[in-house]
Amino acid sequence: MIEALHLSKRYGERLAVDDLSFEVLPGRVTGFLGPNGAGKSTTMRMIVGLDAPSGGSVTVCGQPYTQHGSPLSTVGALLDARAVHGGRSAYDHLLSLAHTHGLRRRRVQEVLELVGLAEVSRRPVRGFSLGMSQRLGIAVALLGDPEVLLFDEPVNGLDPEGIVWIRGLMRELAAQGRTVLVSSHLMSEMEHTADDLVVIGKGRLISSCTVDEFIERNCRTEVRVTTPEPARLVALLEEHGGTVRSEPDGSLVVGGLDAVRVGDLAFDGSVRIHQLVSVQASLEAAFMELTRSSVEYQASPSVGAPEAEVRS
Amino acid sequence: MRPDAAAALEARATTLTFGGVLRSEWTKIRSLRSTVWTLVATVVLTIGTSALLAWAVSAHLEPSFLADVDPVRDSMSGLMFGQLTVAVIGAMAITSEYSTGTIRTTLTVVPRRVTVLTAKLTVLACVVLVCGLLCSFVSFFIGQSFFANATVTDRDGAADTVTHLDLHVALTDPGVLRAVVGGGLYLAAGGLLALALGALLRNTAAAISTAIGLLFVVPLLANFLPSAWEANVVKWLPTNAGSAIWSLRPTTGDNPMLGPWTGYGVFVAYVLTALLAAAVLLRRRDT
Ligand SMILES: Nc1ncnc2c1ncn2[C@@H]1O[C@H](COP(=O)(O)OP(=O)(O)O)[C@@H](O)[C@H]1O
Ligand SMILES: [Mg+2]
C-alpha cells in the first residue's frame, strides 16, 4: 500500500511533481503512466526517500519509508538497472545488500536463480547487457521478499522473452498479495499487465482508476464502414447526428452512432454497404490524447514557459 | 517463490542493523579489484620510496645535518607518497557510488544515511590503518638497517673525511613505537579526509584533486610564506600537524612542529570537521 498526498517536488524553477495524490493498492499491479519527463521517476525516488518532497507526503504501509525498521523487506525497488559498480560481480553486489539486513548467502543464491543470472553471477557486471542488468535490478528488488515493489521502466532493454517473463512475474507478485507499482511511458506495456492505472502528465495527476474504468471513460467506440456510395452515406449519417471522416483506404469512420444504427440507416436509405465493423479506439491512442491535452492545459497558467518549449 | 522461500525468510530476523551495514561496506571494499590493487600500490609505493629516501639520507650525511636527522621520520618519508594513493581509495569509497549510481541502491536499502557514512568510515579506517601499519613497520625496519651504518662525509677540509656512525633506534626507545604506529594512524586519518571530501563533492576527480591539494600542495606552497609567518602558520597545516605523530624530532627543517599527539589531534579535528559537514549534507541533499 502506497499513499501519496499532495506530493510535490520542485527542482529550481521546474515543478517536476505537482500536488500529486494517489493510492496504490496491495494485490494489484498498478501501472504508473506518463510521457517522458512527467515525473514518474521523481515520484518513485520520493517514495523511497531518495529525494525529499518539496510539499506533501508519501507513506508506504502506513508510515514514511525511511522510518521502517526493515526497509529491504518493506520495499524492493528497481529504479535504475545500470546503477551497479561495473567492477563488482552480481553476487557481491547482492551480498553487500543482503548483509545490511542480516540475510543469508542462500537468499542471494535464490534470487540469482529466480532471475536467471546464477550462471554469470561471479562475473563483473560491466560485461552485462542491459537486459541482464535489468534482471540484476529485479533480483535486488526481490532480495528482501518485500511487501511493496517499485519498478521504474523495467521493460527497457529486455528481449521479448524477458518482457513476457517480467509481466508474468509482476502478475505473480500481485497475486501473492503484494503491492506492485510499475512505471512506463507506453500504454501498450501496461494494458495486459496492470489492474489499475495512475496516469500523470507534467507532474500532475490526470487519471487514477482501474484499467476497465479507463477504457470505459476514454476509449470512444467508432464504426468503420465501406460503401460504394460514400457521398450518400455521409449525408445520411450526418443528418442523423453522426460524425464521419474518411480514411485513406476509402472507408468511413463514424462516431456518435453505433454499428446497429449505422446499418439500419443505410438500409432505410437504400445505400449498399460492403463492410460494417465496430472498433474501439486503442488504449494507447486514448492515453496519448489524454497526456497531450495535459501538456496543453499546463502550458498557459503555470511557470509561464513559452509554449513551444513545453510541447517539446 | 513465495511458499518455501518466504517461510524460510520470515523465520529469520531481517532488520537493518549497524553491524549489518558494516559487513555490507566491508563486502563492497573487498569485492572491488581496483581497491585491492590500490592498496597494494600504496604498500609498494610507500615502502619503496621510504627505503630509497632512507638510503639516500643515511648515505649522504654531513656533520651539520646530524642534529636534524630523525631516524624514524627519515625512514618513513614514503608515507607522503602513500597518502596520495590512500586519498584515491578514500575518495572513491564514496564517489564511485555516485558515478555508477550505486549510491541510490545503497541509500534505498539503508535510508539512515549517517549510518552508511559511519559504516563506510569505520571500514575504511580499519583497512587503511592495517595497510598503513604494514607500510610504517616495514619501512621503519628497512630504514634502521641503513641508519645502523650511516655515512657521514665531512667536506670541511681539503679532502673529504668519511666516517660511519650507528644512528639507528629501536622500537623500545622513547617515542619510537608511538611514531611508527603513528605512521599508520596518519594514513588512516588522511584516508578519512579524502572520504569526507568525496562525500561532500560527489565527484571522483574533484575529491581526489582537493585531497591531494590539501595534503600535498598546501605544505609546499607554505614554503613560500614570509618566514615570520612560517613558524606560526606552517605547523597548523593538516599535513604538518598530522606528521608530528610519526616524527621523533620536534621540527621540520627550521620550523617548530606541534607535539605528536597535539599535532595529530589537530589533524583529526580537520578530518572530523570535514566528516561532520559531509554527514549534514548527506542527510540534506537529494540523491
Ligand atoms: N535531479 C533533478 N534535477 C533537476 N531536474 C530534474 C531532476 N530530476 C528530474 N528532473 C526534471 O523533472 C522532470 C520529471 O522527470 P522524471 O521524474 O525523470 O520524469 P519521468 O521519469 O516521468 O520521465 C523532468 O522535467 C526532469 O528534467
Ligand atoms: Mg523516468
Side-chain angles (χ1 to χ4, degrees), chain A residues 126-182:
Chain A
R126 74 167 68 84
F128 280 19
S129 66
L130 183 52
M132 288 158 85
S133 302
Q134 291 285 24
R135 285 170 184 270
L136 177 56
I138 290 164
V140 170
L142 296 175
L143 187 61
D145 199 25
E147 284 168 57
V148 176
L149 288 127
L150 305 181
F151 296 115
D152 195 3
E153 310 258 0
V155 172
N156 279 359
L158 286 185
D159 48 21
E161 181 217 1
I163 295 176
V164 172
W165 169 73
I166 195 171
R167 284 188 180 149
L169 179 71
M170 291 188 295
R171 298 259 20 117
E172 191 186 323
L173 291 165
Q176 292 161 357
R178 299 173 212 256
T179 306
V180 183
L181 182 65
V182 195

Side-chain angles (χ1 to χ4, degrees), chain A residues 9 49-52 65 68-71 83 85 88 92 96 99-101 103 106-107 110 114 145 176 178, chain B residues 1-2 6 9 12 14-17 20 23-24 27-28 31-32 100-102 108-109 111-113 286-287:
Chain A
K9 181 66 190 182
L50 288 174
D51 283 23
Y65 172 71
H68 283 275
S70 178
H85 196 300
R88 204 170 270 131
D92 286 329
S96 75
H99 278 326
T100 58
H101 285 62
L103 296 176
R106 211 180 58 222
R107 180 61 189 164
E110 269 170 24
L114 192 74
D145 199 25
Q176 292 161 357
R178 299 173 212 256
Chain B
M1 178 189 84
R2 184 73 174 184
L9 242 151
R12 296 172 213 148
T14 62
T15 21
L16 180 58
T17 59
R23 284 191 73 187
S24 165
T27 307
K28 280 186 198 167
S31 63
L32 280 185
T100 57
T102 323
T108 302
V109 172
R112 281 163 239 164
R113 299 184 176 186
D286 288 338
T287 311

Side-chain angles (χ1 to χ4, degrees), chain B residues 247-274:
Chain B
S247 308
L248 282 186
R249 304 268 180 277
T251 54
T252 43
D254 298 328
N255 296 313
M257 289 176 83
L258 298 171
W261 291 108
T262 317
Y264 191 67
V266 169
F267 190 37
V268 168
Y270 285 120
V271 175
L272 288 180
T273 310

